[in-house]
Amino acid sequence: MLNEILAYVSPSVPGYFSGIALTAALSVIGASVGILAGLFGVGGGFLLVPLMNVLLGIPIDLAAGSATCYIIGASASGIVRHWKRRNIEISAAVLLSAGSIFGALTGDFLQDFIIHTLAGGNREMFEKIMQGLFVVILFVIAWIMYKNPGERKGGKTVLQKLSFGPSVTLRVSGQEGVNAAGLFLIGFSGGVLTGLMGVSGGVLFLPILVLGVGLLPHLAVGTSLTVVFVSSLTAVLKKGLSSPDKVSLPVAVSLLVAGTIGVRLGMIISGKISGSALKRYFSIIALSAAVMVLVKLFF
Amino acid sequence: MIKVLSALLLVAVPVLIGLAMNYLMDLVLGILKAGGRRKDA
């Protein structure tokens, strides 16, 4: 039985590399993305899937599933740190997480819909559609990092202006009358990204949580990590229960071990290089990744 | 049954590795910092 379980969680990984060469290549990618993540204060999940797909030739759905599995481990350690410092806005985290559970399930269903219905079972077409989605996401991330949205300037947030349905109070951030359905929808959108593309979407959601919801920046990071953990956990459970070809545990473990070391190295380096303009350089990296996927898409 | 256990393994292993690696990195960085301070003194 153990052998069957191990075979289930370790599907064969098609691509340009196999065996030790694949582990080494994944470790290099994991460490590099980890360093960038630690340096720029982002999750970096949105770089993992395109890099695994374009540079290693791993099918995009397997790359996305394995990256989601990696995100579980990466966010778990972050949650412990933020929980100890009370950096999680519980009421917002509960509503966002509830939305993210439905979103993650929808995202995985959407991935199946694209493979079987939209692409008619044609894997090449499916890869092209997903690569196109990644180009869009990477351009949006590059734009957000370039604009580098700052802190909120006071007044009512977008979610406080919505008058329909029930509202909640965010005690630690001191925000009253925050629309509950809005929080649920934000969580839902993040979950869809995780279930469909294997990205946590933290870069996209941090500005939304700070500017749109009104969370204090340090609370936004802890709360976002909690939501990312819940959505990736849901997505991996759903993928694991539906098919053995969607998640590879050895791939996720290789990324995680090297990625954790990389994140710490990146954090040490970022402590020595100061300046808020640093984040803008990250937009160049996201832009380069978008161009790389675009080249793969057309050539 | 195998599917359920496999799915649980897929979420439990990354959580454990994530926490263990985090603890290990704290330990290594702590030792390196302590070594650096001793050298300065």
Side-chain angles (χ1 to χ4, degrees):
Chain A
M1 188 168 175
L2 186 66
N3 283 342
E4 283 176 75
I5 292 172
L6 289 177
Y8 193 95
V9 298
S10 324
S12 66
V13 181
Y16 312 137
F17 300 94
S18 61
I20 294 173
L22 177 64
T23 308
L26 286 167
S27 302
V28 170
I29 288 182
S32 314
V33 172
I35 289 174
L36 290 175
L39 192 57
F40 295 102
V42 296
F46 55 89
L47 286 174
L48 281 176
V49 183
L51 286 175
M52 280 194 277
N53 180 243
V54 176
L55 300 182
L56 309 185
I58 298 175
I60 208 156
D61 49 342
L62 182 59
S66 308
T68 315
C69 194
Y70 156 86
I71 293 168
I72 294 177
S75 54
S77 53
I79 289 174
V80 173
R81 269 203 306 274
H82 284 278
W83 181 259
K84 280 182 189 163
R85 293 174 195 166
R86 306 228 181 281
N87 281 351
I88 298 171
E89 184 73 69
I90 302 289
S91 49
V94 169
L95 282 163
L96 289 162
S97 299
S100 80
I101 291 173
F102 286 98
L105 296 173
T106 309
D108 192 55
F109 279 121
L110 214 55
Q111 197 187 69
D112 288 339
F113 173 78
I114 295 174
I115 299 177
H116 302 297
T117 312
L118 213 57
N122 182 340
R123 291 241 19 130
E124 206 177 320
M125 173 69 88
F126 166 69
E127 293 265 330
K128 299 274 180 212
I129 295 170
M130 291 294 285
Q131 283 161 357
L133 287 173
F134 265 104
V135 170
V136 174
I137 286 284
L138 285 165
F139 272 120
V140 171
I141 287 170
W143 182 75
I144 287 177
M145 295 304 273
Y146 179 75
K147 295 293 281 184
N148 199 6
E151 287 184 23
R152 210 167 64 83
K153 295 202 167 59
K156 278 192 170 184
T157 64
V158 177
L159 288 197
Q160 283 175 319
K161 286 177 188 164
L162 297 177
S163 52
F164 64 90
S167 59
V168 289
T169 300
L170 308 180
R171 289 178 203 283
V172 192
S173 300
Q175 300 290 327
E176 286 181 358
V178 178
N179 191 278
L183 284 171
F184 186 89
L185 274 177
I186 293 171
F188 181 83
S189 334
V192 170
L193 275 183
T194 310
L196 174 64
M197 303 170 80
V199 298
S200 64
V203 179
L204 300 174
F205 287 99
L206 276 180
I208 295 176
L209 290 180
V210 175
L211 302 173
V213 179
L215 290 183
L216 298 169
H218 64 284
L219 288 169
V221 176
T223 309
S224 161
L225 271 173
T226 312
V227 181
V228 162
F229 177 75
V230 173
S231 65
S232 51
L233 199 84
T234 311
V236 168
L237 278 175
K238 163 77 178 69
K239 287 173 193 292
L241 286 170
S242 62
S243 164
D245 309 321
K246 285 186 171 182
V247 187
S248 165
L249 191 58
V251 168
V253 169
S254 305
L255 292 172
L256 192 54
V257 171
T260 318
I261 299 170
V263 169
R264 287 305 182 93
L265 283 176
M267 283 164 78
I268 293 169
I269 300 167
S270 82
K272 291 179 179 166
I273 309 168
S274 59
S276 62
L278 194 69
K279 273 200 170 180
R280 291 201 171 171
Y281 293 116
F282 193 79
S283 64
I284 299 169
I285 295 165
L287 212 57
S288 312
V291 172
M292 181 186 75
V293 182
L294 212 55
V295 168
K296 167 98 176 172
L297 191 60
F298 289 108
F299 299 102
Chain B
M1 182 68 175
I2 285 170
K3 273 190 176 183
V4 174
L5 289 175
S6 304
L8 289 175
L9 196 69
L10 284 174
V11 295
V13 170
V15 170
L16 291 176
I17 291 181
L19 295 176
M21 283 301 293
N22 197 41
Y23 177 76
L24 200 69
M25 290 306 291
D26 279 344
L27 201 70
V28 171
L29 292 175
I31 291 169
L32 288 176
K33 262 186 194 168
R37 272 201 297 268
R38 195 172 293 174
K39 218 174 190 180
D40 290 341

